[in-house]
């Protein structure tokens, strides 16, 4: 039977951890973003437009808050974003 010696097992383990981690990290290209929109008193704002603008590419993605004031961007390219909320009548 082909058993590995202890030093060989350690080297194999380290190789799997190092190369496995690098391949996993290299594949993260998207993320999600979620939150709640509320006014200064803490009251949630429903049906407001939430805009996420990628700071590097200027790409804009829009969603709308639900009945609980929550919004979700389920799949955004990884990066830094500026978030805007548009509510008619609010300043």
């Amino acid at each position: 039977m082909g058993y590995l010696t202890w030093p060989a097992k350690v080297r194999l383990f380290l190789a799997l951890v190092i190369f496995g981690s690098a391949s996993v990290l290299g594949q993260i290209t998207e993320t999600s973003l979620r939150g709640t929109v509320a006014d200064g008193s803490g009251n949630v704002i429903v049906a407001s437009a939430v805009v996420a603008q990628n700071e590097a590419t200027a790409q804009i993605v829009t969603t709308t808050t639900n009945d609980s004031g929550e919004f979700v961007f389920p799949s955004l390219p990884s990066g830094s974003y500026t978030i805007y909320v548009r509510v008619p009548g609010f300043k």
Side-chain angles (χ1 to χ4, degrees):
M1 302 214 157
Y3 291 103
L4 293 175
T5 64
W6 187 82
K9 288 180 185 178
V10 170
R11 285 193 298 273
L12 178 60
F13 173 76
L14 291 175
L16 289 173
V17 169
I18 291 169
F19 293 114
S21 298
S23 66
V24 169
L25 291 176
Q27 295 177 10
I28 299 173
T29 59
E30 292 188 347
T31 189
S32 63
L33 175 66
R34 64 181 57 234
T36 303
V37 177
D39 65 12
S41 300
N43 300 313
V44 297
I45 308 295
V46 300
S48 60
V50 182
V51 179
Q53 183 173 16
N54 186 303
E55 293 180 3
T57 65
Q59 177 187 11
I60 292 177
V61 182
T62 304
T63 191
T64 305
T65 58
N66 64 16
D67 291 339
S68 300
E70 300 169 337
F71 66 90
V72 176
F73 292 100
S75 181
L76 292 172
S78 295
S80 295
Y81 286 83
T82 301
I83 306 300
Y84 301 96
V85 178
R86 295 183 186 150
V87 182
F90 266 76
K91 291 186 178 187

